[in-house]
Amino acid sequence: MTKNIFVSGASSGFGLMISRALADAGHTVFAGIRDIGGHNTRAAAEAAEYAAARGVDLRVVELDVTSEESVRQAASEAGTPDVLVHNVGHMVVGPAEAFTAEQLADLYDTNVLGAHRLNRALLPGMRDRRDGLLVWIGSTSTRGGTPPYLGPYFAAKAGLDALAATMALEVARFGIETTIVVPGSFTKGTNHYAHAGHPADRAVAASYEERYPHLMDQIGQRMAALEPADADPAQIARIVADVVATEKGKRPFRVHYDPNDDGAVVVNAVADRVRTEFLDRLGLAELLHPTKEN
């Protein structure tokens, strides 16, 4: 069945792939892209070209998740979606100490608060309708093996995962379902590393470089060496499309695609089992599944 779907961070990487895969599946997709009149003019034009060439319903909407006004405007254009895909994410690399508190606040504003703003704008319609699906694009870094120099990004993704897991319980009685899609690290096929931010405190960064010369380069090289030749970031888009197509009540709470096998699959399995058991002990196991009746 055709659905109206809102995808944040759709200018490149997973967001671009997800929005196109969903449009190809016959859905109406609102692709949220920041600065479509400037930095992302080309990305917006390419989305329109893709829609015209494929004959699909892929619509670009201006979206800056750090701006309440921008989020409200995008929400008014999209109306109440059947599915909201939280994909916006910005990566930073470097020693954690060398990032200022303001930089971390900006990072969390994009990676965590941005999703919260979208929820506050779009969940009321879903709650009124007693139906909907939240798809959160997470990261294996929240519970898998984590190399150094990515700490602020990992912390932000952990915050997003915690918000997703808790809100899943809070919206279940409104008939709203949740799936967390968990990608591993991809050194090619996305722009995560290419567009990564760097620490502002250069003196502190230089001090670390003295003791850990070229460590970030080594991490990149070793992560690339672990990555199988057939690792395909487009699989994340296919997973999202499959989740959307799955019957309500049968969608998985969490789905991984981690070609590097950093251990998150194992740890998340334990954590999600403990979560389920604890809700059962509280007598709230019914919150683990969305209410089907209106």
Side-chain angles (χ1 to χ4, degrees), residues 255-270:
V255 187
H256 298 80
Y257 177 57
D258 180 22
N260 289 353
D261 190 18
D262 68 9
V265 173
V266 175
V267 181
N268 273 327
V270 174

Side-chain angles (χ1 to χ4, degrees), residues 90-108 148-154 196-206 208 216:
H90 178 58
M91 176 180 277
V92 296
V93 297
E97 184 191 349
F99 288 92
T100 65
E102 291 74 18
Q103 281 188 292
L104 263 63
D106 287 344
L107 184 68
Y108 299 154
Y149 281 20
L150 292 161
Y153 173 71
F154 292 164
H198 297 85
D201 193 330
R202 295 183 181 181
V204 171
Y208 277 85
M216 195 63 235

